[in-house]
Amino acid sequence: MNTEGAFALKGIKYIVLAAVAVLIVIALSFIPRREDNHDTWLVEVKVLEKVIAEMDGEQVYLLKTEDREGREALYEINQEALNERLKVEGVYGEFKSGKYYKFRVAGKERYDSHYPVVCGAVSLIEGFSETPES
């Protein structure tokens, strides 16, 4: 009887462990994850000009920039891409023409914007880095 009881106790122990493992997997599936950055890319640019344009009846805050190869691009500052504590006007005001910045950019489709969108932290840099980042 002692060996049968030990066998049953071990079986119950493994069933309980399996149930706990399943509950942990279920709990982890409900925890919100950080937004993945697979659909964003890092840019280093010099801000040439700041523009506030009217599109579709609303103001759009744009940065006209140039990369290390001299290619110009327009980036939009969009409220959807910003932290809820930040305002578009405030972020736009922090950019200075003639200064160099490094930041992540998302495609315009992701935030339903007109141009690629500035997202994530923006860093003021001294100039283009020696080795381009991807």
Side-chain angles (χ1 to χ4, degrees):
M1 178 117 164
N2 193 10
T3 58
E4 289 178 14
F7 181 73
L9 189 60
K10 284 184 179 182
I12 292 172
K13 178 178 147 185
Y14 289 121
I15 290 172
V16 169
L17 284 175
V20 168
V22 168
L23 289 175
I24 289 173
V25 169
I26 290 171
L28 289 176
S29 69
F30 286 108
I31 295 174
R33 292 183 190 87
R34 264 183 34 153
E35 193 174 305
D36 73 20
N37 289 329
H38 295 296
D39 53 353
T40 64
W41 60 96
L42 189 65
V43 296
E44 284 185 1
V45 295
K46 178 181 179 182
V47 174
L48 301 175
E49 184 181 1
K50 296 170 26 172
V51 179
I52 301 175
E54 178 102 10
M55 295 182 178
D56 298 333
E58 61 184 46
Q59 287 185 330
V60 178
Y61 294 81
L62 302 173
L63 300 172
K64 183 177 180 182
T65 65
E66 179 179 74
D67 67 8
R68 74 176 62 248
E69 282 85 33
R71 294 180 299 230
E72 292 186 2
L74 281 173
Y75 296 110
E76 183 176 337
I77 302 172
N78 185 316
Q79 187 62 49
E80 285 184 54
L82 296 177
N83 184 319
E84 56 202 33
R85 293 176 291 182
L86 300 175
K87 298 293 178 214
V88 173
E89 297 84 3
V91 173
Y92 178 78
E94 293 294 319
F95 281 96
K96 305 293 182 223
S97 295
K99 299 287 183 176
Y100 295 84
Y101 297 91
K102 183 192 302 190
F103 51 85
R104 295 200 80 74
V105 177
K108 61 183 182 177
E109 304 81 23
R110 182 170 179 187
Y111 293 106
D112 193 31
S113 60
H114 300 90
Y115 298 97
V117 178
V118 175
C119 60
V122 176
S123 301
L124 177 65
I125 55 178
E126 294 297 318
F128 294 120
S129 63
E130 292 182 23
T131 57
E133 295 186 31
S134 48

